[in-house]
Amino acid sequence: MSDMNQQMSAKYKNNFLKEIEEQAEMGEWVKMCMQCGVCSGSCPTNFHPGWEHPPQELFMMIRAGKRDEVLDSQSMWMCVSCYNCYVRCPRKVPITHIMHGIAEYAYRIGRAPKNQPTLHLSQTFWNNATKTGRVNEVQLTQSLYFKDGIMDGIKKAMAMQDVALGLVKAGRLNVMEAIGGGHKCKDIKGIHAMLAKAKELENQRKGRAA
Amino acid sequence: MADKHAAYICTGCELGTRLDAAALVKTATKDGKIALVREHAFLCSADGVAMIKNDIDNEAVTHVAICACSRRAKTEAFNFPTVAMSRGNLREGVIWIRPDTDEARETTQEMAEDYVRMACAEVKAMKVPEGNQNTGTSKTLLVVGGGMSGMTAAVEASKAGYKVVLVEKTGALGGMAAKLWKRIPNREPFKAPMDNGVADLVAQIDADANIKVYLNAVVAKTAGAPGRFKADIAVESGAVSTEDVGAIIQASGFTPYDVNKLSHLGGGQANVVDQLGLEALAKAANGGPIKRADGKEVKSVVFVQCAGQRDTSGEHLSYCSGHCCATSVKQAMYFKDANPDVDTVVLYTDLRMPGNNEDFYRAAQNKGVIFSKGVVSGVSTSGDGCKVQFKDLILNEDTSADADLVVLATGMVPTTGPDLDALSEANRVAEGSDEKAAVAKEQVIQMMSTSVLNLDYRQGPDMPQFKHGFNDSHFICFPYETRRTAIYAAGPTRRPMDIAQATEDATGAAMKAIQAMENAGLGKAAHPRAGDLSFPTARLEGCTQCKRCTVECPFGAIDEDEKRFPLFNESRCRRCGTCMGACPVRVISFENYSVNTVGAQIKAVDIPDEFSEKPRVLILACENDAYPALDMAGMNRNEYDPFMRVIPVRCLGSVNTIWITDALNSGFDGVMLMGCKHGDQYQCHFVKGSELGRYRMSKVYDTLKGMNLETERLMDLEVAITDVDTLPKKINEYAAKIQEMGMSPFKGL
Amino acid sequence: MAKKEYAFYPGCSSQKGASASNYLVSVDSMCKTLDIKMTEIPDWNCCGASISYAEAGELPRLAMNARNFALSEQHLPGQDIVATCAACWLGSRESKERLEHNNTLMDDTNKALKEAGLNLKVIPEVRHMVEVLIEDLGYAELASHVKKPLEGMKIAGYVGCQTNRPFGIQGESFENPMYLDKLIESVGAQATKFDQKVTCCGGALAFSEPDKAQAQIKDIIEAAYDSGAEMLVTPCPLCQANTEVYQGQINKKYGTKFQLPVLYYSQLMVLAYGGSAKDAGLNGQVIRARRLEEFAGK
């Protein structure tokens, strides 16, 4: 993975803005930010600690070529996809998508922070959903809890026991799903082929070795 | 023809139900001593107007007092140019500012009766203005300066059917705009620099028989007055031609701030240029890659905004020149359009891109121009290029950028000729015979060499300057306006601006100049009293030659004749009456506005005795701002005290101190002066009027002390036209204060 | 024949035994009353939701949504797709927009779809259930079916994010959308002045950043109580789950005593239309809505 990082770094030399424009989803919009800061003031996660750089600042860092600081940052992983910045941006910069795009790119080239919980969630969710074409909520929850090993998983599961129990009682958590029951698409094979193709095409388009 | 006076009492708009009209008729007849008094239920109707017209035509009425609504209302209906006319304001001034209650009825009626008395007294003291006979009828416009503003003014005036003389000091038309590779776009889609437009305008001028162009020429002397200026135009060869012109537009432009004064930003270094310097490089490149003076192709460029502008140290320009942000955006595009790989960084603190420039800014971002919010602390030579040190204000860190070329966005310095105060001081010193005088003489010669208009006015060779050395303008109400009637400033000589604004400015100035020429030809005043036929005259036999009128006239309209008496240039006069207010012996007057017309009104007010508990306060209100504000207070039914008696004045500058002392002597309990804001942010329509008026009033306080009266009996209030709600409150506060002080001891004396 | 017919995209969370199954139950009964016919898109798949962004990348997510479009057009041609879940609706609409505006993405997507034996030419309209109610039926029509108005009930309308932004409901503002309040009022209840109606519940980060998300949820529940509401109502399954199931945890952490029932708009409508507690899926509440249970029993 770090090869990919070096490969990209070499490809774009010192032009990090160009790298983001070509590699990150909607990255071509970064240059259109006019630094008004409405996004920063609109982000709900801004109210709670955990932020290094609000979107406006990330964009400025990209323009200033701060490749390492941006790619290693936790900031874009804090996005809750609420689209508040997106609708308020006077420049109509699709900030939510750019946050996702930068995070995704950092992950692709092996720069995402270690044990980033939201990255783990994203991986788990997508793998879960594409396995059968539909989300298996029990397995999803299990794999989320047990990401740090069995003991940790049991601890977390115990802590969340009342939550889960409440859902089970209300008929909204089907324990049968844990053992391979639950919902699935019929054409799982087709879906898998389709996704493989899509991934291949995307890598081609972005000049990333498969 | 003998004077015959008539008064008309209107009972429309509820005047008839709120007031005792019969009593008002009686007041006009008995107290006003008016021969013909009529009442009408709807005076401004066709029928009412016809009645008045009939009296004028068939009853030989020469003076008309209309007691109805404000003088600012129904001006089209009550338009009788052949007679003298006064207006008693019973509607906005009385019934609309008083409550409709039984208790208020008595004082409201008294108020109305006073206004009837005042209107009758005023009209009797008035004459029908005959108009200025000393007119000139030249309809040719002189435009000084052949840049974008000057050329536009010339073309626009010509399109409107007027002849133009265009004087340009260099060998070609075009000015600064001609030095630009391209200009900031002024039309859709506002995405790319556009042709500078100079060639097109020059071609229009060349083909226009109405426009006579002098190149390599300066205005050596400007004498005369609106409608009859004589301008001596000296060309390089030494030839001088005299042109008769009716009005003048000064479009003398600007020079860029001296980049060498900005050594801390690299000014003077080889690879640091100002914006004009970059234009020269772009012109040389002609659309290809831009090269530095040493021939190296520029691969990275940093634009430093606000270079020596918006400076708070006092060392450089303190103002924003407005165009430079968009200019840098444009210039960054020069690079990007020629080669998208050139690194272009604009360092700014606030990017000011108003209006459609926002689209232009966006287009530049789209082309990859990087905008960084930062303050530059230094530019140094680094290797083959420059290093720009700056504080990044978003990332809050000190950092630097390397560049092959640095462009400094310096400001505009107006070309406005010598500062008149400095010149007058130098002239004063030069009159001596010591060493200082010799130095001052040199200074005078040097200063005069920078004169743009060389006016033959006692007030100096050029127009007075406003803030930062730009040509004076009434910035709120009348752009293009200056303190020299029929001379207008357009373009960056007036205030900093870009080509689009200068074009609009020049068009507006041309229209105002045409209006001024036309009015001058008819013997009428220019704005704000546009169309006024009255003009000041002096009874010279009473004049003490004190020169106050000549010195104080804000427009330089009064010279001195050989015998040192005031010599009025009526065409230059704006009819503000500042001379009349200034005259200590009260020999200056207008036919329809004089010490008498106001004095008679003051005397006409009925002053109840000191036991009546009915004080009287005189309000002298500026007709441009305070009086409309009072009218609007009436329209909004904002009530105020019934003991006020308001007389509109042309300007606080026209208030003669005799009115104040007369009023207080005759038993008024207080006097309120309402005039416009003065000083740097003045709002006076006559620029200096309210300031001079206030200065004079400060002297009256001594008189009050001499009369053993409280100084609070004279109150000076700064009023803006928007003070509609606050003004009645302030009046009432003053009324309360008067009540507290008690009645004036001068009643019934 | 039913008055209106749509291709139904229920989404993963609405399936039987899943976290929003009570939503589906109530939508079914609501549609029956309103004579709306919803035919499930055969073999539909997950939309990917927002959270899959890092692992999925762009094209695979587009392909997933495109597959649903292609199936819908193939089996239910000409019908608008209707989603009940905010994330499904957003994911689909976003995909539709991108595919329609970018030929490269459309071509690549079709190449991928070919692997699943599908082809996409026309993308159907993608709509949220609420849009169908408001735009195709109208508030008056919705109110006309009310048999038992929810009189005297004070309800905070919690719109949340993804039914509101970035697309939102036509004619509504992002900052203060009124449609949910109007829906509440059309069934006879009172919508409270709720100042957190468009605040984010933390979304998927309720899993990965529970502390941050729960702090946001706490603000929302608190504001609902402050507005005088006795329950919260929402159009989004994730909003519903997050604001309901974590109240216990928040109570432990912050010492609060939250016990605020959180419902779907469709549940209110079913009850007002005279449906039973079962029809409305009230048995699916983690925090029981006792007042509504009593109301349904009357």
Side-chain angles (χ1 to χ4, degrees):
Chain A
M1 278 306 245
S2 71
D3 287 349
M4 179 85 96
N5 178 37
Q6 278 159 16
Q7 192 188 315
M8 287 300 175
S9 175
K11 182 176 174 187
Y12 293 100
K13 294 189 194 81
N14 292 323
N15 200 335
F16 184 46
L17 175 61
K18 197 170 175 196
E19 184 176 349
I20 289 294
E21 284 180 343
E22 290 182 4
Q23 292 294 329
E25 195 176 318
M26 301 274 169
E28 69 274 17
W29 280 88
V30 168
K31 61 187 178 217
M32 298 309 289
C33 166
M34 62 174 185
Q35 296 297 323
C36 67
V38 165
C39 50
S40 314
S42 299
C43 183
T45 66
N46 200 16
F47 297 115
H48 307 292
W51 260 77
E52 295 167 85
H53 310 293
Q56 161 203 22
E57 208 170 284
L58 274 179
F59 297 160
M60 202 66 229
M61 289 162 72
I62 292 169
R63 295 188 205 170
K66 294 179 180 290
R67 189 172 189 272
D68 293 345
E69 290 94 321
V70 171
L71 293 176
D72 296 345
S73 173
Q74 295 274 1
S75 299
M76 53 275 187
W77 296 100
M78 297 299 149
C79 174
V80 291
S81 311
C82 76
Y83 289 83
N84 218 8
C85 52
Y86 185 110
V87 298
R88 284 184 183 168
C89 175
R91 274 296 178 78
K92 302 207 180 331
V93 175
I95 300 166
T96 312
H97 297 307
I98 301 174
M99 290 294 113
H100 295 173
I102 301 169
E104 190 254 357
Y105 180 58
Y107 164 56
R108 286 291 169 230
I109 61 170
R111 293 296 296 259
K114 284 215 162 52
N115 301 322
Q116 215 307 316
T118 301
L119 169 58
H120 180 254
L121 171 61
S122 181
Q123 292 170 313
T124 314
F125 183 89
W126 180 251
N127 293 334
N128 179 300
T130 53
K131 193 173 161 195
T132 66
R134 294 185 192 173
V135 170
N136 179 319
E137 290 183 343
V138 173
Q139 286 183 4
L140 174 65
T141 317
Q142 277 178 341
S143 36
L144 286 173
Y145 292 156
F146 290 91
K147 76 176 164 82
D148 301 322
I150 292 182
M151 283 315 289
D152 208 48
I154 291 171
K155 249 191 267 169
K156 271 190 195 152
M158 291 296 283
M160 292 298 279
Q161 205 179 22
D162 53 342
V163 172
L165 253 158
L167 283 167
V168 173
K169 270 198 239 162
R172 285 161 57 190
L173 197 61
N174 184 357
V175 284
M176 287 308 285
E177 287 195 348
I179 48 168
H183 309 277
K184 53 181 73 158
C185 287
K186 288 186 197 115
D187 187 19
I188 298 177
K189 219 174 122 194
I191 291 174
H192 287 171
M194 172 185 84
L195 290 173
K197 185 71 184 172
K199 200 165 182 180
E200 179 197 322
L201 289 169
E202 182 148 291
N203 281 336
Q204 254 174 33
R205 184 159 49 87
K206 297 205 167 176
R208 301 171 186 168
Chain B
M1 193 173 74
D3 286 355
K4 183 166 180 187
H5 306 127
Y8 299 89
I9 314 287
C10 180
T11 57
C13 296
E14 293 194 332
L15 285 165
T17 53
R18 295 284 306 276
L19 301 169
D20 180 349
L24 295 179
V25 170
K26 205 171 145 194
T27 304
T29 315
K30 206 163 145 258
D31 298 350
K33 298 191 175 62
I34 297 286
L36 180 64
V37 182
R38 294 190 202 273
E39 190 183 311
H40 195 281
F42 190 177
L43 195 58
C44 61
S45 67
D47 180 61
V49 172
M51 176 181 81
I52 301 172
K53 267 201 151 32
N54 185 55
D55 287 348
I56 294 169
D57 295 343
N58 302 320
E59 301 283 335
V61 166
T62 56
H63 288 63
V64 172
I66 290 173
C67 302
C69 43
S70 166
R71 51 154 63 185
R72 299 176 53 81
K74 304 291 172 197
T75 49
E76 278 167 26
F78 300 133
N79 178 21
F80 310 111
T82 57
V83 300
M85 181 173 70
S86 68
R87 301 278 299 262
N89 187 357
L90 306 183
R91 191 179 67 171
E92 290 86 342
V94 180
I95 62 165
W96 282 359
I97 53 97
R98 295 302 306 149
D100 186 8
T101 59
D102 286 343
E103 307 86 77
R105 206 171 165 83
E106 181 185 316
T107 51
T108 307
Q109 178 70 20
E110 285 172 8
M111 209 173 187
E113 286 175 12
D114 268 349
Y115 280 127
V116 169
R117 286 184 196 101
M118 288 156 77
C120 295
E122 183 188 10
V123 81
K124 287 167 111 177
M126 287 167 88
K127 290 192 192 74
V128 187
E130 285 176 0
N132 172 24
Q133 304 304 307
N134 192 13
T135 56
T137 53
S138 171
K139 300 288 166 61
T140 301
L141 177 64
L142 171 65
V143 178
V144 185
M148 215 59 182
S149 315
M151 291 196 294
T152 305
V155 167
E156 292 296 331
S158 167
K159 278 188 201 160
Y162 291 82
K163 286 197 178 311
V164 178
V165 172
L166 179 56
V167 177
E168 164 58 36
K169 74 178 168 198
T170 72
L173 294 175
M176 285 293 179
K179 297 183 181 176
L180 307 183
W181 162 236
K182 294 202 168 174
R183 61 172 285 189
I184 299 159
N186 70 337
R187 67 176 79 101
E188 287 291 344
F190 298 98
K191 280 186 177 158
M194 289 187 357
D195 182 86
N196 66 24
V198 168
D200 177 48
L201 261 183
V202 172
Q204 280 186 56
I205 289 170
D206 285 346
D208 193 331
N210 271 341
I211 305 174
K212 184 172 175 184
V213 180
Y214 286 91
L215 295 177
N216 294 312
V218 294
V219 178
K221 184 182 170 190
T222 308
R228 50 180 174 83
F229 286 114
K230 283 196 182 299
D232 292 351
I233 293 154
V235 287
E236 213 174 26
S237 62
V240 175
S241 350
T242 302
E243 294 280 355
D244 290 310
V245 296
I248 300 169
I249 289 178
Q250 179 175 328
S252 45
F254 73 101
T255 50
Y257 188 68
D258 184 1
V259 74
N260 290 311
K261 291 183 184 165
L262 303 171
S263 55
H264 65 295
L265 296 177
Q269 288 176 28
N271 298 322
V272 177
V273 294
D274 64 6
Q275 290 181 321
L276 209 56
L278 196 272
E279 293 291 342
L281 297 179
K283 272 206 154 187
N286 197 25
I290 293 172
K291 291 176 182 150
R292 299 194 309 212
D294 64 3
K296 188 190 178 230
E297 190 180 325
V298 177
K299 289 285 175 58
S300 55
V301 57
V302 170
F303 293 86
V304 178
Q305 297 310 109
C306 302
Q309 301 195 64
R310 302 172 68 202
D311 175 72
T312 49
S313 72
E315 212 175 313
H316 306 292
L317 304 180
S318 61
Y319 52 88
C320 163
S321 292
H323 76 93
C324 351
C325 285
T327 297
S328 288
V329 166
K330 176 192 75 171
Q331 296 185 338
M333 279 195 194
Y334 291 170
F335 288 96
K336 282 289 184 190
D337 288 346
N339 176 7
D341 288 334
V342 174
D343 283 335
T344 51
V345 176
V346 178
L347 293 176
Y348 67 95
T349 51
D350 309 278
L351 209 63
R352 293 177 170 177
M353 303 288 288
N356 294 104
N357 280 343
E358 170 69 11
D359 290 346
F360 193 41
Y361 170 27
R362 231 182 282 222
Q365 285 182 301
N366 231 334
K367 287 179 181 178
V369 179
I370 302 289
F371 292 87
S372 287
K373 195 173 167 76
V375 180
V376 176
S377 52
V379 176
S380 53
T381 309
S382 164
D384 184 34
C386 306
K387 187 175 272 304
V388 182
Q389 303 282 347
F390 67 100
K391 186 183 177 69
D392 188 314
L393 294 174
I394 298 291
L395 304 180
N396 196 28
E397 62 183 18
D398 291 311
T399 181
S400 68
D402 293 314
D404 292 337
L405 186 72
V406 171
V407 183
L408 301 182
T410 58
M412 287 176 149
V413 179
T415 307
T416 46
D419 175 67
L420 297 186
D421 293 335
L423 180 64
S424 133
E425 176 59 18
N427 264 323
R428 192 187 60 76
V429 177
E431 272 171 31
S433 53
D434 52 359
E435 251 175 64
K436 273 188 193 164
V439 175
K441 265 179 203 147
E442 282 304 311
Q443 279 178 340
V444 169
I445 290 167
Q446 195 278 327
M447 282 189 204
M448 287 304 291
S449 73
T450 66
S451 174
V452 179
L453 295 177
N454 284 299
L455 289 169
D456 189 21
Y457 280 35
R458 77 179 293 286
Q459 290 80 5
D462 284 281
M463 291 193 278
Q465 293 165 11
F466 193 46
K467 271 196 277 185
H468 314 306
F470 287 88
N471 268 135
D472 198 312
S473 152
H474 189 281
F475 67 101
I476 292 178
C477 303
F478 311 115
Y480 334 118
E481 175 70 276
T482 71
R483 268 192 272 162
R484 298 293 175 261
T485 304
I487 307 179
Y488 297 87
T493 186
R494 188 170 80 74
R495 64 168 178 76
M497 60 179 80
D498 64 12
I499 292 179
Q501 289 169 318
T503 306
E504 196 179 301
D505 216 51
T507 308
M511 298 304 116
K512 293 309 290 183
I514 289 168
Q515 188 191 29
M517 286 195 286
E518 290 292 346
N519 271 327
L522 297 169
K524 292 178 176 175
H527 50 93
R529 296 192 57 83
D532 186 358
L533 280 164
S534 72
F535 57 91
T537 52
R539 266 187 311 111
L540 293 184
E541 57 274 27
C543 173
T544 59
Q545 300 180 326
C546 73
K547 291 207 267 190
R548 265 186 226 172
C549 55
T550 53
V551 171
E552 291 194 4
C553 173
F555 301 99
I558 312 171
D559 288 330
E560 283 134 30
D561 67 10
E562 318 80 67
K563 295 178 202 155
R564 304 185 80 88
F565 282 117
L567 179 67
F568 290 92
N569 285 287
E570 293 83 0
S571 308
R572 293 186 202 164
C573 170
R574 296 284 247 286
R575 282 70 166 172
C576 60
T578 297
C579 50
M580 180 174 114
C583 183
V585 286
R586 302 181 290 283
V587 298
I588 299 173
S589 62
F590 298 77
E591 291 126 315
N592 54 5
Y593 183 61
S594 64
V595 171
N596 276 344
T597 60
V598 176
Q601 291 180 73
I602 293 170
K603 288 193 189 83
V605 173
D606 179 52
I607 307 281
D609 66 36
E610 59 187 302
F611 310 107
S612 67
E613 290 181 10
K614 284 176 178 170
R616 288 291 179 261
V617 173
L618 175 67
I619 294 180
L620 296 172
C622 160
E623 68 178 8
N624 294 298
D625 274 46
Y627 201 69
L630 287 166
D631 272 359
M632 284 188 279
M635 290 174 206
N636 292 352
R637 307 298 195 275
N638 292 339
E639 289 168 16
Y640 59 80
D641 189 89
F643 304 126
M644 302 289 142
R645 299 296 180 260
V646 184
I647 298 175
V649 295
R650 288 186 180 184
C651 176
L652 216 51
S654 74
V655 172
N656 197 294
T657 52
I658 191 76
W659 296 338
I660 319 278
T661 44
D662 274 2
L664 293 172
N665 266 322
S666 62
F668 273 93
D669 300 279
V671 177
M672 277 184 109
L673 299 171
M674 295 184 181
C676 303
K677 189 194 204 63
H678 68 273
D680 262 2
Q681 303 289 327
Y682 73 89
Q683 294 184 8
C684 175
H685 286 51
F686 300 105
V687 190
K688 289 280 174 194
S690 60
E691 186 175 335
L692 291 164
R694 292 206 168 95
Y695 175 74
R696 271 181 235 136
M697 291 316 134
S698 65
K699 308 283 178 201
V700 178
Y701 290 110
D702 294 336
T703 316
L704 295 188
K705 280 176 206 151
M707 289 163 77
N708 227 350
L709 275 175
E710 299 88 345
T711 50
E712 290 85 354
R713 297 221 183 250
L714 176 59
M715 162 88 172
D716 170 24
L717 198 61
E718 194 176 279
V719 178
I721 197 162
T722 47
D723 292 344
V724 177
D725 293 324
T726 50
L727 191 51
K729 284 186 198 122
K730 286 181 181 159
I731 291 174
N732 292 339
E733 280 164 21
Y734 187 60
K737 203 171 183 182
I738 294 288
Q739 291 282 6
E740 213 174 281
M741 262 186 283
M743 303 293 256
S744 161
F746 282 86
K747 289 186 193 288
L749 292 182
Chain C
M1 208 183 90
K3 227 187 259 173
K4 312 262 177 190
E5 291 192 42
Y6 303 94
F8 185 32
Y9 179 30
C12 304
S13 65
S14 281
Q15 301 172 95
K16 191 160 187 287
S19 59
S21 48
N22 50 341
Y23 191 8
L24 186 65
V25 168
S26 59
V27 166
D28 277 345
S29 359
M30 177 185 76
C31 287
K32 237 172 251 160
T33 307
L34 296 173
D35 202 11
I36 297 170
K37 187 183 171 198
M38 308 253 277
T39 315
E40 203 169 308
I41 301 170
D43 207 36
W44 59 265
N45 55 254
C46 172
C47 68
S50 299
I51 190 59
S52 71
Y53 65 82
E55 182 59 38
E58 189 178 18
L59 199 58
R61 280 199 295 159
L62 289 176
M64 287 290 268
N65 285 289
R67 183 175 175 273
N68 290 335
F69 300 153
L71 288 170
S72 184
E73 266 306 287
Q74 190 181 324
H75 298 286
L76 303 161
Q79 292 188 14
D80 291 355
I81 294 176
V82 172
T84 42
C85 167
C88 296
W89 178 59
L90 172 59
S92 306
R93 262 194 81 163
E94 224 164 60
S95 302
K96 174 179 160 73
E97 199 166 83
R98 275 195 216 183
L99 290 173
E100 284 177 343
H101 287 94
N102 188 325
N103 291 333
T104 315
L105 288 176
M106 188 68 171
D107 291 348
D108 283 359
T109 300
N110 262 319
K111 278 180 204 156
L113 277 179
K114 206 175 156 202
E115 300 288 318
L118 292 166
N119 184 40
L120 183 62
K121 286 196 195 80
V122 183
I123 305 179
E125 290 302 315
V126 179
R127 307 178 65 202
H128 191 278
M129 188 73 231
V130 166
E131 290 181 292
V132 170
L133 296 182
I134 296 168
E135 290 163 12
D136 296 1
L137 278 77
Y139 297 107
E141 164 81 14
L142 297 178
S144 72
H145 295 273
V146 172
K147 290 199 184 104
K148 289 166 68 185
L150 304 178
E151 263 164 13
M153 292 194 205
K154 292 183 176 173
I155 303 174
Y158 176 47
V159 177
C161 301
Q162 296 197 343
T163 30
N164 184 42
R165 295 182 297 260
F167 298 109
I169 305 298
Q170 185 74 40
E172 294 282 4
S173 86
F174 296 131
E175 307 294 338
N176 187 18
M178 297 306 292
Y179 72 87
L180 197 50
D181 291 352
K182 287 185 200 160
L183 281 180
I184 291 167
E185 271 153 20
S186 71
V187 296
Q190 185 197 330
T192 61
K193 270 194 173 247
F194 174 44
D195 62 14
Q196 302 277 333
K197 70 160 79 159
V198 296
T199 302
C200 178
C201 67
L205 271 69
F207 289 104
S208 57
E209 299 278 356
D211 291 345
K212 290 177 189 115
Q214 286 178 20
Q216 282 172 221
I217 295 166
K218 176 179 162 276
D219 289 349
I220 294 163
I221 302 294
E222 223 158 46
Y225 274 119
D226 288 350
S227 77
E230 51 197 310
M231 61 191 101
L232 203 63
V233 64
T234 170
C236 168
L238 194 54
C239 293
Q240 197 282 336
N242 279 352
T243 51
E244 187 187 34
V245 305
Y246 295 111
Q247 287 187 33
Q249 297 249 310
I250 292 167
N251 286 343
K252 271 186 210 158
K253 197 179 296 172
Y254 293 96
T256 48
K257 287 184 176 150
F258 294 162
Q259 190 68 25
L260 190 70
V262 185
L263 293 111
Y264 295 103
Y265 62 92
S266 48
Q267 295 179 290
L268 297 185
M269 293 170 73
V270 169
L271 294 173
Y273 293 168
S276 67
K278 192 165 170 264
D279 295 338
L282 288 186
N283 52 347
Q285 301 307 114
V286 171
I287 296 170
R288 289 180 64 183
R290 294 186 194 281
R291 179 144 188 213
L292 290 178
E293 285 172 19
E294 281 164 27
F295 176 86
K298 273 180 205 162

